[in-house]
Amino acid sequence: MDGLQALFLALIQGLTEFLPVSSSAHLILPSQLLGWPDQGLAFDVAVHAGTLVAVMVYYRESLTSLLMGVLGSGDNVSLRRREVSALLIATLPAVVIGIAFSDVIDQYLRGIGVIATTTLLFGLLLGVSYSYRAAGADEQPISRLDHALVIGLAQALALIPGTSRSGVTITASLFLGYNLATAARFSFLMSIPVIAGALLLMLVKDFELFFSSANLAITLIAMLVAAVSAYATIAFFVGLVTRVGMMPFVIYRVLLALILFSILVFV
């Protein structure tokens, strides 16, 4: 993998990880359409670490508040503890299903046809869910455990490329009657254990590969690019959806799906 490919994919990872457009789809498509070689495990570890740092820095105050709640200090301790429990429950379905079906997903569900279908289907669902949202623009904690389980089951669907983890979790939250700011906050907080778990799994699979990479400098730069672009994307997304809603992303997904279906038919 040359430097240009690495920087491009790192930028794509950072820009799409937290947008409801599917980062996995945008990373798979360049390789399939342009014939690029697989970026490799070291690169995947680096960009995941970058996006993890970005979301933790952006939501550092929320994370500090949740930690204080777990330790029994600060205001609204019981509420903070329920929110932590909700985040843990929301994480479990993706972990269980990911472990059970990761090989099947990697082998059979990474083609353009699958990506085009999930991009269209879950894009339309995102548009429909917008009409179920609650009014208001204030971020609120999601602490109901049954709601957390529903959102977690939705997150497990994002293991299929093209679905979008942030998109499907926000969709589920909107259908449950939360406002956009609350849905986005819970979705982004949910990403922390998911990304951290994926990062840990990749490191366990081949710890030495990352640190012995012949392109270590490029890999570290890719991590930085992913972190900076992801942080900017989170700030942009949170500000945008409170002003204009989700329709720009719905339209983008529909257009992208049409392009992908056209490639399947004519190329």
Side-chain angles (χ1 to χ4, degrees), residues 134-147:
D138 294 332
E139 294 182 353
Q140 302 293 332
I142 293 179
S143 57
R144 284 188 55 171
L145 301 187
D146 56 340
H147 285 186

Side-chain angles (χ1 to χ4, degrees), residues 8 19 24 29 42 58 66 71 78 81 104 117 125 136 148 217 228 266:
F8 177 79
L19 293 180
S24 59
L29 291 174
Y58 189 88
L66 293 174
L71 297 176
S78 61
R81 286 179 174 175
V104 174
T117 301
L125 281 176
V228 173
F266 297 109

Side-chain angles (χ1 to χ4, degrees), residues 161-229:
T163 301
S164 171
R165 195 207 60 81
S166 64
V168 75
T169 53
I170 290 174
T171 296
S173 297
L174 295 181
F175 273 125
L176 290 170
Y178 294 100
N179 65 26
L180 269 173
T182 298
R185 176 182 180 275
F186 194 73
S187 174
F188 293 150
L189 289 177
M190 284 173 66
S191 73
I192 294 174
V194 171
I195 296 174
L199 179 61
L200 179 62
L201 181 61
M202 286 185 284
L203 286 174
V204 168
K205 288 175 65 176
D206 201 332
F207 180 81
E208 295 182 357
L209 178 61
F210 177 72
F211 295 99
S212 64
S213 172
N215 297 315
L216 184 58
I218 293 176
T219 303
L220 293 176
I221 293 173
M223 181 189 300
L224 178 62
V225 170
V228 173
S229 58

